[in-house]
Amino acid sequence: MFGNRCQPLETGNLALPVDHERVRSLAIQRFFHSSPTLCCCITVLVVSITSVPKVHGQAPPSQEYTSGIAVEANQQLFATMCALDAAGFDADESTLAEMPSRLALRGELLKLHGPATEALRQFYRDHALADPGETLSRYITFALVVGPPPDFRYQVDVELLPPDVGSLEGFQKILAAFYHEAHLDIRWTQIEPEYHRVIARYQPVVRRIVTVSNGYLREILKPTQGRTFTVYVEPLVGGRTNFRNLGNHYAMAVGSTTQIPTDDIQHAYLHFMLDTLPLRYRKEVERKISLLNIAASAPQLPVEYRTDFIAFTDESLIKAVELRLRHLTPEKLEAAMAEDDKSGFILVRPFVTHLQKFEKAAPAMTYYFPDIINGIELSAEQKRLKDFAFAPVQAAPERANVAATPENQSAELDSMLAEGDHQIALKEAAGASATFEKVLEKYPNEPRAWYGLAVASILSGEGERAQELFEQIVTASTSGIPGAPAPTGTADPSILAWSHVYLGRIHDLEDERDQAVIEYRAALAINGSPENARVAAQRGLDSPYSSHAPESNKASHNP
């Protein structure tokens, strides 16, 4: 969720991915003053979460926390990071400055020898990725879905495991053997107090985020809801936050850097609190879907939101709440909303307007959200945004009479691709096709152009051609295509993942469910795929894809 945040505008029936303190305001103060019981409940709730730095060996987080929110250390994560230490993973040791015992343990593990340790090192070498961050992310995901030592049993059905965990098949037994050989149970008891000190640094930050957010939204989490939000502290994660949403369980792994990633935790927590609302009120939300046609024409709008109105609405609401929580002056608030408008997040402004009304109202956000959505006047927003000048893509300036160099060619290619992407955002299928075909005349193996042409084909209603192009992209990624021009095997993970997702959707629309499932699983197995593509693929696995377009847009099931 959260460092990178695609699903769709509907074209026929196939969706397109054209690649996401001060005191409270006076209104909120008045609310707490008039509702002391609720204020007390929220305070007790949060204090009970963080008053004792408990360490659990479970995934999902322990239900001892009645609110479902916790800051913890995690023995599975500890053991996994110890295994990476022994295997030679190049972690940032500066994060252990305040944990001398953990730093010493890292050095000891690097010198460790034994059959389990050697098997571990071989496994690590065989499964290492080019990007160390992606390698780390994969192992962290593993740690979040297994149970406590010494067995590290999966807590979900093997068939339901995240695909990046599936790619680590065999690691579970290797880790269990290494845990025994390295005596990590004894080492954990020696290191645990140092983790408690780091946890203690995070607790007031999370407590404040929860108190402020829940107070603003006027929400109280109930144990019966079965939803959890856990911040796992693991120093060697470093400055890279890792956020996972496994069904109702939101988990975030953070390091022990000097600067706590408060904004990242706040954003993740607001996702935890608000993600369900656009889904719960899908019908109300989709009545405003025509606004996405306007937003999608913004060159700077992240591709994952150009075609997924639910995700776009969710992210816009979170951005609006964040603005209200910052207590900006009117001038700074207007500047921030203007920036959101220019980048394509056109719902932030009306959301802020209705949040200002919400602050003076009584219901919790869960009940007030439909009023916010219904209060957005389509005609007024369309009038406001008519001929609106969105911020342009920052393109390299053209220079005359400059010899062709790799740098110049790259700038030219990026400019042409940006033009094609913009035409797709405007739903100018013919123009986009012409642009991408022009790119392929000069760069016949450019995967981004092949992908853009496939998307343009969907816009044109040429489903068979789109399927053929997507299949060429995914085939070339593994074997290359000899002979005729075709995308090279260097397509980026986003293109590959989304190609599989949309092949899956095409098969679903053709009632070819088995083939669709294969494509969705292939998308989930792509190393480094963006979170939005992974979410779309998981949705496809959970249930067959079908159009959610408004009634007036429904057509045949041909893409």
Side-chain angles (χ1 to χ4, degrees), residues 158-173:
V158 175
E159 292 182 357
L160 300 178
L161 287 174
D164 44 355
V165 174
S167 66
L168 296 178
E169 184 178 358
F171 182 67
Q172 179 188 19
K173 291 182 179 180

Side-chain angles (χ1 to χ4, degrees), residues 110-256:
L110 283 168
K111 299 175 184 177
L112 192 65
H113 291 284
T117 304
E118 298 308 321
L120 166 67
R121 288 170 179 153
Q122 184 61 51
F123 183 92
Y124 175 79
R125 288 192 295 269
D126 292 343
H127 293 79
L129 304 175
D131 181 353
E134 290 301 326
T135 298
L136 177 61
S137 179
R138 178 181 291 185
Y139 284 98
I140 288 175
T141 303
F142 167 86
L144 295 178
V145 298
V146 296
D151 298 323
F152 302 100
R153 297 181 186 278
Y154 289 121
Q155 300 297 288
V156 296
D157 258 348
V158 175
E159 292 182 357
L160 300 178
L161 287 174
D164 44 355
V165 174
S167 66
L168 296 178
E169 184 178 358
F171 182 67
Q172 179 188 19
K173 291 182 179 180
I174 288 175
L175 180 61
F178 173 74
Y179 183 87
H180 176 74
E181 183 173 274
H183 303 291
L184 291 185
D185 52 342
I186 298 174
R187 295 176 186 271
W188 170 249
T189 61
Q190 298 168 343
I191 301 296
E192 185 180 357
E194 291 187 341
Y195 276 83
H196 288 174
R197 289 196 291 271
V198 180
I199 289 170
R201 289 180 52 222
Y202 271 89
Q203 285 176 334
V205 175
V206 175
R207 181 187 299 119
R208 176 178 170 275
I209 287 172
V210 171
T211 303
V212 172
S213 301
N214 288 10
Y216 182 82
L217 299 172
R218 297 197 282 276
E219 298 283 3
I220 298 179
L221 292 176
K222 301 174 183 177
T224 56
Q225 292 175 329
R227 303 180 71 239
T228 60
F229 179 85
T230 308
V231 178
Y232 289 118
V233 178
E234 173 49 57
L236 287 177
V237 169
R240 179 189 177 102
T241 58
N242 289 263
F243 179 65
R244 291 289 181 272
N245 170 12
L246 303 174
N248 285 327
H249 305 293
Y250 287 62
M252 187 177 189
V254 297
S256 60

Side-chain angles (χ1 to χ4, degrees), residues 179-369:
Y179 183 87
H180 176 74
E181 183 173 274
H183 303 291
L184 291 185
D185 52 342
I186 298 174
R187 295 176 186 271
W188 170 249
T189 61
Q190 298 168 343
I191 301 296
E192 185 180 357
E194 291 187 341
Y195 276 83
H196 288 174
R197 289 196 291 271
V198 180
I199 289 170
R201 289 180 52 222
Y202 271 89
Q203 285 176 334
V205 175
V206 175
R207 181 187 299 119
R208 176 178 170 275
I209 287 172
V210 171
T211 303
V212 172
S213 301
N214 288 10
Y216 182 82
L217 299 172
R218 297 197 282 276
E219 298 283 3
I220 298 179
L221 292 176
K222 301 174 183 177
T224 56
Q225 292 175 329
R227 303 180 71 239
T228 60
F229 179 85
T230 308
V231 178
Y232 289 118
V233 178
E234 173 49 57
L236 287 177
V237 169
R240 179 189 177 102
T241 58
N242 289 263
F243 179 65
R244 291 289 181 272
N245 170 12
L246 303 174
N248 285 327
H249 305 293
Y250 287 62
M252 187 177 189
V254 297
S256 60
T257 54
T258 54
Q259 186 171 1
I260 292 177
T262 304
D263 290 344
D264 288 347
I265 298 174
Q266 171 80 82
H267 195 89
Y269 185 71
L270 287 175
H271 268 286
F272 170 70
M273 293 298 296
L274 299 174
D275 277 356
T276 60
L277 297 184
L279 293 171
R280 180 182 302 179
Y281 300 103
R282 178 186 288 274
K283 289 183 179 179
E284 289 84 349
V285 170
E286 289 189 338
R287 292 191 188 112
K288 316 295 179 179
I289 197 171
S290 60
L291 292 175
L292 188 58
N293 293 327
I294 300 173
S297 66
Q300 291 187 9
L301 184 69
V303 294
E304 58 264 37
Y305 302 119
R306 294 182 183 179
T307 54
D308 185 345
F309 192 57
I310 297 297
F312 176 77
T313 301
D314 187 30
E315 188 67 18
S316 298
L317 177 63
I318 289 169
K319 283 177 170 287
V321 171
E322 286 175 329
L323 288 180
R324 296 305 296 157
L325 290 178
R326 288 166 60 188
H327 307 293
L328 300 173
T329 63
E331 295 77 14
K332 290 185 178 180
L333 177 61
E334 173 57 35
M337 292 189 297
E339 189 67 26
D340 284 324
D341 278 339
K342 290 179 181 178
S343 64
F345 285 102
I346 58 175
L347 282 182
V348 172
R349 184 180 293 273
F351 276 154
V352 166
T353 298
H354 288 284
L355 285 175
Q356 290 170 325
K357 297 177 182 178
F358 163 74
E359 291 162 10
K360 302 173 184 177
M365 179 59 73
T366 299
Y367 304 105
Y368 194 86
F369 180 72

Side-chain angles (χ1 to χ4, degrees), residues 457-534:
S457 298
I458 296 177
L459 275 174
S460 301
E462 302 175 80
E464 290 184 5
R465 186 189 189 204
Q467 181 174 350
E468 180 182 334
L469 291 168
F470 284 131
E471 286 174 346
Q472 284 185 308
I473 292 170
V474 300
T475 302
S477 71
T478 56
S479 60
I481 300 178
T488 63
T490 58
D492 68 39
S494 179
I495 289 176
L496 288 177
W498 274 112
S499 294
H500 281 297
V501 167
Y502 283 89
L503 282 172
R505 290 177 173 177
I506 290 171
H507 287 301
D508 265 339
L509 294 175
E510 296 296 331
D511 293 325
E512 298 168 347
R513 182 58 181 164
D514 290 345
Q515 189 61 39
V517 168
I518 291 173
E519 296 295 346
Y520 294 134
R521 286 179 173 166
L524 288 170
I526 299 296
N527 294 329
S529 61
E531 187 66 20
N532 44 46
R534 301 177 66 79

